[in-house]
Amino acid sequence: MASHRRPKQPSRTRVTVLTATAAAAVALSSQAAHADPSQSKKDVKSEVDKLYGEAEQATEKYNGVKEQQDKLQKEVDDLQDKVARGQDELNQLRKGLGAIASGQYRSGSIDPSVQLFLSGDPDTYLEKAATLDQLSGKQADQLRTIADKQRRLAQERAEAASKIKDLSETRKSLGEKKDEIKGKLAKAQELLNTLTAKEREAMQAADDRANRSNERVNLGDDVPASQRGAAALSAAQSKIGSPYVWGATGPSSFDCSGLTSWAYAQAGQSLPRTSQEQANAGTRIYSQSALKPGDLVLFYGDLHHIGLYAGNGTVLHAPKPGAAVRYESINNMPFQFGVRV
């Protein structure tokens, strides 16, 4: 016999939960439908700028390691040249002593002490002081010279080996920094690729406008910090529009410290390679109002960005990957201090 029981009605609590869930879903759908379409673009730009900043931090570290590598390579080359010259000198000394021994041998009077030396280590031999009495004054002097030369060569070879090890470790660190920079830039590009073609064009147009703003910038009439500072600023101004390329020092592309070091080199002043080192290249100026055209300007707490003060609250710099050398307000970045070279 069929059952005719009434189906169980949902409880009041269950109805309330279902109703609330449905209402929430409708609200979320409504919010999604009315979401600001530019929000994702804004988030992407913010993240890309953050990655570019991190890439620049890594670039300055890379520049420092690269400078260290170049210095070590020169030291290794100099030491190896020194060792090679020392070995040649040692060979000549040995040859001279050998000639004496040969003459003695032909005359049948070779000194047994010289014979012993030629077949062994002069350092060990010279420790036997009594044996020196068997040598002529000239032979003893030659033996001492050879022993001293061998000791110096051994020290120089050990020093060269240590420098080569340091160089190998530095090269490894350099490769890691390079990979880090490339990774940051690749991630930034991946984010940019998530934007539509129209959104990417809008971002590029904004950057182009920033580059073109150089045509309208008002630098005021501030007196340059010095003749050299004025010359450095003038050199940097000649590179407006040149692309930012990490690790580049000119003359066709630059990173931030590459631009400042290149500009001052044109003015006859050598600067260290990195922004952190350039921070110690002169007198520090902590007040923006005291800055003069040609002064170096440092940004961010770790001093990973640097530019040249151009006057009227404006800095000339190589900003970031994808941008060109250009003027920008000094207030667009966290100012730390200036440096008068």
Side-chain angles (χ1 to χ4, degrees), residues 116-117 119-132 143 147 150-151:
L116 175 62
F117 163 71
S119 63
D121 178 5
D123 247 352
T124 302
Y125 182 56
L126 284 173
E127 289 174 2
K128 302 175 183 178
T131 312
L132 288 176
L143 283 173
Q150 283 189 322
R151 277 193 294 270

Side-chain angles (χ1 to χ4, degrees), residues 150-167:
Q150 283 189 322
R151 277 193 294 270
R152 285 198 299 274
L153 272 176
Q155 290 169 355
E156 288 163 1
R157 284 194 176 102
E159 188 179 354
S162 175
K163 294 288 184 185
I164 288 170
K165 184 182 178 207
D166 291 344
L167 182 59

Side-chain angles (χ1 to χ4, degrees), residues 17 19 23 54 111-112 119 153 168 193-194 213 243 261 278 308 319 322 327-328:
V17 170
T19 303
E54 291 172 355
D111 192 316
S119 63
L153 272 176
S168 175
N193 290 342
T194 65
S213 68
S261 60
Q278 290 178 21
L308 287 160
Y327 294 114
E328 203 163 334

Side-chain angles (χ1 to χ4, degrees), residues 241-319:
S242 298
Y244 177 104
V245 175
W246 67 269
T249 57
S252 56
S253 59
F254 305 87
D255 61 23
C256 68
S257 57
L259 175 66
T260 50
S261 60
W262 178 87
Y264 262 94
Q266 309 317 298
Q269 175 69 49
S270 175
L271 289 183
R273 175 62 181 92
T274 68
S275 57
Q276 290 90 347
E277 290 174 315
Q278 290 178 21
N280 299 313
T283 304
R284 292 190 177 185
I285 302 163
Y286 291 94
S287 170
Q288 288 190 25
S289 62
L291 292 172
K292 294 185 178 296
D295 287 337
L296 299 174
V297 189
L298 279 298
F299 299 95
Y300 300 97
D302 63 353
L303 310 179
H304 74 260
H305 190 72
I306 192 168
L308 287 160
Y309 187 68
N312 198 28
T314 302
V315 64
L316 178 60
H317 66 150

Side-chain angles (χ1 to χ4, degrees), residues 79-263:
L79 278 168
Q80 288 178 332
D81 287 345
K82 193 174 180 181
V83 167
R85 288 194 303 271
Q87 187 62 59
D88 287 342
E89 291 170 7
L90 181 60
N91 292 341
Q92 291 300 317
L93 287 169
R94 284 180 176 278
K95 186 176 178 182
L97 190 61
I100 293 173
S102 296
Q104 291 177 345
Y105 178 77
R106 283 194 298 272
S107 66
S109 60
I110 185 168
D111 192 316
S113 60
V114 175
Q115 188 176 25
L116 175 62
F117 163 71
L118 290 173
S119 63
D121 178 5
D123 247 352
T124 302
Y125 182 56
L126 284 173
E127 289 174 2
K128 302 175 183 178
T131 312
L132 288 176
D133 293 338
Q134 303 173 34
L135 298 171
S136 71
K138 183 177 179 180
Q139 289 169 344
D141 287 343
Q142 285 180 309
L143 283 173
R144 287 193 181 91
T145 301
I146 290 172
D148 288 343
K149 177 64 71 176
Q150 283 189 322
R151 277 193 294 270
R152 285 198 299 274
L153 272 176
Q155 290 169 355
E156 288 163 1
R157 284 194 176 102
E159 188 179 354
S162 175
K163 294 288 184 185
I164 288 170
K165 184 182 178 207
D166 291 344
L167 182 59
S168 175
E169 291 171 354
T170 301
R171 281 177 174 158
K172 180 182 177 184
S173 177
L174 194 66
E176 290 169 354
K177 294 299 177 196
K178 186 182 289 187
D179 290 343
E180 181 182 356
I181 295 165
K182 288 182 176 179
K184 300 285 186 188
L185 297 179
K187 190 172 180 182
Q189 189 58 55
E190 286 177 10
L191 283 170
L192 289 172
N193 290 342
T194 65
L195 299 175
T196 64
K198 188 174 181 179
E199 287 171 334
R200 287 197 297 273
E201 287 171 7
M203 285 182 68
Q204 185 59 53
D207 229 12
D208 290 343
R209 282 194 299 275
N211 289 334
R212 286 196 300 273
S213 68
N214 292 281
E215 301 166 6
R216 303 183 301 275
V217 70
N218 176 15
L219 300 179
D221 54 1
D222 294 345
V223 178
S226 65
Q227 186 175 356
R228 184 167 288 171
L233 178 59
S234 177
Q237 287 169 329
S238 73
K239 294 302 176 180
I240 288 174
S242 298
Y244 177 104
V245 175
W246 67 269
T249 57
S252 56
S253 59
F254 305 87
D255 61 23
C256 68
S257 57
L259 175 66
T260 50
S261 60
W262 178 87

